[in-house]
Amino acid sequence: MKHLTYILITTGLLFACATEVKDDNAKSKIYRAAYNVLTDQENDNYEVFSANLDGTDVINITNLDGVEWTYRSMNDKVLYISDRDTCYRCYFLYETDALGQEHRRIGGPQLKDSWMDFRKGGDEIIVNPKVENDSAFYIINRNGELIQKVYTGMAYFSDPSFSPDGSKIVFRGSNKRFKANIGYQDELYIIGVDGHNLRQLTNYPESDTTAKWWQYHAGPPYWEPTRDLITFHSVQQGGSFLFQINPDGSQLKKLTPDSLKVGWHNWSSDGSLITFDVNTTGSDGKMNFDIFVMNYNTGEITQVTNETLFAQSAVLVEMKNPD
């Protein structure tokens, strides 16, 4: 398995001004990447794999018929949605460890295809449910029991992420439904968990027409807790890049180089690493996606996977240190 490393010399100033993660904290953390793989396109079979960050020890941790997708790690657990034991693409929430040794259905409502987040050390999870005659994010406990509903009042909303103190949510939303030819365009919004004080965070450049209606103007956000900043990806200027922005809307910065077409992303719990998928389609035109990891402080980017299978939507799972 080949591994490529990139050094972002041109963005050195960006990383120099970032809040630095303590070395002793970073060294104490060991991570695996868990990611979604299209194993059988004809039968629409997706699995969740995991691997060490050097690309070794690749494991299929779900190994089921149908669709399994991970959309968040929670400490040493992988949260994934699955249509196992139900109808086609009717998703419910499960958790497992990074090696797929123990699986548990969390319960709760049927879910939409959406990222999710947790607060209070993992005791509470915010999800995007598929419930008839209801349009809200649900905050549930580890048994799937409803704690609270958060109504945004928007025609479209998805991919919620908690603020570090758990009092606010950043999410992807639109005043138009997700549908062609009606003016749909997603942006990031912030709202209190009480459903008040909704405000728009991002503004896609008016002069940029490179993103189609179905592509991300502002992709699923992540509210990174150690620096209190928000990251997201966006299709702009003919590419797809990872950006960061402060919660007050200031200091928008591009994090990834023009040479990489970046998609979904996730942070390590200590804020030292970001993982994301990259469109690695070759000169032969055969489409492919692989998982990469970036050191936030140094800008070094390493390729984790190099397979013929689609590998997307990676999360970083904290492993228990045997020492």
Side-chain angles (χ1 to χ4, degrees):
M1 185 176 294
K2 298 179 181 178
H3 306 285
L4 304 179
T5 299
Y6 301 78
I7 304 295
L8 303 188
I9 298 175
T10 58
T11 56
L13 292 177
L14 185 156
F15 294 106
C17 67
T19 302
E20 192 167 348
V21 178
K22 293 181 180 180
D23 288 341
D24 57 348
N25 185 41
K27 291 177 182 177
S28 67
K29 304 290 186 181
I30 299 174
Y31 297 98
R32 282 178 69 89
Y35 49 93
N36 303 329
V37 175
L38 177 58
T39 57
D40 185 344
Q41 186 170 8
E42 182 178 354
N43 293 304
D44 198 33
N45 187 24
Y46 287 83
E47 304 287 358
V48 180
F49 283 39
S50 79
N52 293 327
L53 299 191
D54 63 0
T56 61
D57 193 29
V58 178
I59 301 173
N60 182 342
I61 67 173
T62 51
N63 200 24
L64 297 163
D65 293 334
V67 176
E68 281 74 42
W69 285 324
T70 179
Y71 281 125
R72 180 67 71 180
S73 61
M74 188 169 63
N75 305 319
D76 62 341
K77 299 297 183 184
V78 178
L79 296 178
Y80 68 94
I81 60 174
S82 174
D83 61 2
R84 62 197 285 187
D85 304 324
T86 183
C87 57
Y88 174 67
R89 296 213 171 197
C90 301
Y91 307 120
F92 290 90
L93 184 58
Y94 295 79
E95 69 176 17
T96 187
D97 59 277
L99 302 179
Q101 295 175 338
E102 297 180 359
H103 293 259
R104 184 179 76 91
R105 178 168 172 170
I106 290 178
Q110 183 178 332
L111 300 182
K112 295 178 182 178
D113 178 8
S114 170
W115 288 75
M116 59 196 67
D117 199 7
F118 67 92
R119 66 178 181 178
K120 299 184 179 180
D123 290 338
E124 297 182 1
I125 307 168
I126 186 168
V127 297
N128 193 5
K130 187 175 183 179
V131 178
E132 188 174 357
N133 299 321
D134 202 5
S135 296
F137 291 125
Y138 282 18
I139 299 176
I140 60 176
N141 65 19
R142 290 292 289 275
N143 294 318
E145 298 165 334
L146 179 64
I147 296 173
Q148 181 184 343
K149 298 181 182 181
V150 182
Y151 290 94
T152 68
M154 305 198 71
Y156 178 85
F157 56 92
S158 191
D159 308 310
S161 180
F162 280 121
S163 61
D165 65 1
S167 67
K168 301 181 184 68
I169 302 161
V170 62
F171 66 96
R172 189 169 60 89
S174 175
N175 290 316
K176 302 287 187 179
R177 292 181 296 113
F178 183 76
K179 189 176 181 180
N181 303 321
I182 63 170
Y184 169 85
Q185 178 173 307
D186 57 345
E187 297 284 1
L188 299 188
Y189 293 81
I190 293 177
I191 194 171
V193 293
D194 58 3
H196 296 150
N197 302 316
L198 175 71
R199 60 183 173 89
Q200 186 172 332
L201 178 63
T202 60
N203 291 277
Y204 192 79
E206 292 185 5
S207 60
D208 196 327
T209 60
T210 56
K212 309 301 182 183
W213 74 270
W214 47 269
Q215 292 179 310
Y216 289 121
H217 295 79
Y222 197 115
W223 204 321
E224 201 283 312
T226 68
R227 301 175 186 83
D228 193 25
L229 57 84
I230 294 166
T231 47
F232 66 99
H233 79 272
S234 178
V235 176
Q236 295 187 23
Q237 300 175 348
S240 185
F241 312 105
L242 191 65
F243 292 84
Q244 75 173 44
I245 190 171
N246 289 340
D248 63 4
S250 65
Q251 298 188 40
L252 176 68
K253 298 175 182 178
K254 188 171 74 170
L255 297 180
T256 50
D258 293 347
S259 58
L260 298 182
K261 193 170 184 180
V262 175
W264 293 292
H265 78 291
N266 180 265
W267 283 79
S268 62
S269 59
D270 63 9
S272 64
L273 302 173
I274 309 173
T275 185
F276 44 79
D277 57 70
V278 172
N279 185 330
T280 53
T281 299
S283 58
D284 59 359
K286 187 176 181 180
M287 184 173 290
N288 196 36
F289 298 88
D290 281 298
I291 304 304
F292 289 64
V293 171
M294 180 173 75
N295 183 305
Y296 180 81
N297 291 316
T298 67
E300 181 180 353
I301 298 177
T302 302
Q303 185 169 347
V304 178
T305 68
N306 190 7
E307 304 290 351
T308 57
L309 298 172
F310 285 15
Q312 294 179 291
S313 307
V315 301
L316 292 169
V317 191
E318 186 176 330
M319 303 296 291
K320 295 180 180 179
N321 194 328
D323 297 334

